[in-house]
Amino acid sequence: MKLGRLNHIGIAVPDIDAAIAHYRDVLGATDITEPFDLPEQGVRVCFVNTPTQSGPNSELHGTQLELLAPLDENSPVHGFMQKNPAGGQHHLCFEVEDIAEARTYFESLGKRILGPTRIGAHGTPIFFLHPKDMLGQLTEIMETPKEDAHWSN
Ligand SMILES: C[C@@H](C(=O)O)C(=O)SCCNC(=O)CCNC(=O)[C@H](O)C(C)(C)COP(=O)(O)OP(=O)(O)OC[C@H]1O[C@@H](n2cnc3c(N)ncnc32)[C@H](O)[C@@H]1OP(=O)(O)O
Ligand SMILES: [Co+2]
């Protein structure tokens, strides 16, 4: 398995509109998407995009923060919010080229996979790995969108 881009950092927040105002007014974020519900994942989501920095010698690609608020008490984020009422860093999402191959690979290592592979907020398949098997980080694995399928280092 080959690790792809860090696609996003998931941040759990108690109130998505208040969090948008925070990223815009306190941190000066200029690219924040409209929030939307993902009932299958039990969350309301929006993205804060950080810019790509280009210089003569390097290019550092911007990444995305994924702000997540639980839709109800059945949400997978509900337990986290109970323990962290102010919110906090919730998961890391890495891209892979082939989601089925990645799933088989992590299974073969004995890593616990949390539920079925589903379609995530970026429209491609995702699954989650248990934080206790991943150095304490809840880890989302996401298939790279086909139009972005060429990684360069
Ligand atoms: C929109 C989509 C997308 O990007 O496309 C998304 O990201 S959706 C993002 C939301 N969806 C998901 O997260 C789906 C996968 N997540 C899950 O299945 C769940 O959230 C779990 C990770 C199993 C946690 O569930 P829950 O809090 O009910 O379990 P639990 O209380 O038994 O927790 C077991 C242990 O893991 C710890 N734990 C729980 N959540 C954690 C997190 N986010 N990061 C690190 N550790 C975490 C708890 O503190 C506890 O440790 P101690 O035992 O030491 O106290
Ligand atoms: Co995510």
Side-chain angles (χ1 to χ4, degrees):
M1 219 241 1
K2 187 181 170 202
L3 183 70
R5 291 186 62 236
L6 173 65
N7 183 277
H8 62 266
I9 301 169
I11 315 277
V13 300
D15 176 333
I16 210 145
D17 294 321
I20 289 170
H22 172 85
Y23 277 94
R24 187 188 57 219
D25 301 337
V26 178
L27 281 158
T30 54
D31 185 355
I32 306 180
T33 68
E34 282 297 314
F36 58 99
D37 290 352
L38 272 177
E40 277 187 17
Q41 321 278 349
V43 288
R44 185 162 173 80
V45 178
C46 80
F47 298 112
V48 179
N49 294 306
T50 70
T52 293
Q53 178 191 55
S54 294
N57 302 316
S58 66
E59 182 170 278
L60 190 58
H61 205 282
T63 191
Q64 219 169 38
L65 307 181
E66 179 178 78
L67 307 183
L68 304 159
L71 281 178
D72 56 37
E73 64 272 15
N74 298 318
S75 170
V77 186
H78 177 71
F80 184 90
M81 293 306 302
Q82 300 274 95
K83 286 188 184 159
N84 306 278
Q89 194 254 303
H90 181 260
H91 66 270
L92 296 179
C93 175
F94 295 106
E95 295 184 15
V96 297
E97 285 178 332
D98 183 328
I99 197 86
E101 181 190 86
R103 195 172 169 112
T104 304
Y105 167 75
F106 287 112
E107 269 167 1
S108 77
L109 296 181
K111 303 293 181 192
R112 280 168 286 173
I113 298 179
L114 297 161
T117 301
R118 297 173 196 272
I119 300 298
H122 298 78
T124 71
I126 62 169
F127 64 81
F128 288 88
L129 294 158
H130 199 289
K132 298 293 182 192
D133 295 345
M134 299 300 287
L135 300 179
Q137 289 285 350
L138 175 58
T139 304
E140 178 181 347
I141 302 294
M142 164 186 159
E143 190 163 273
T144 302
K146 287 291 172 251
E147 63 273 22
D148 302 334
H150 298 288
W151 297 325
S152 58
N153 287 318

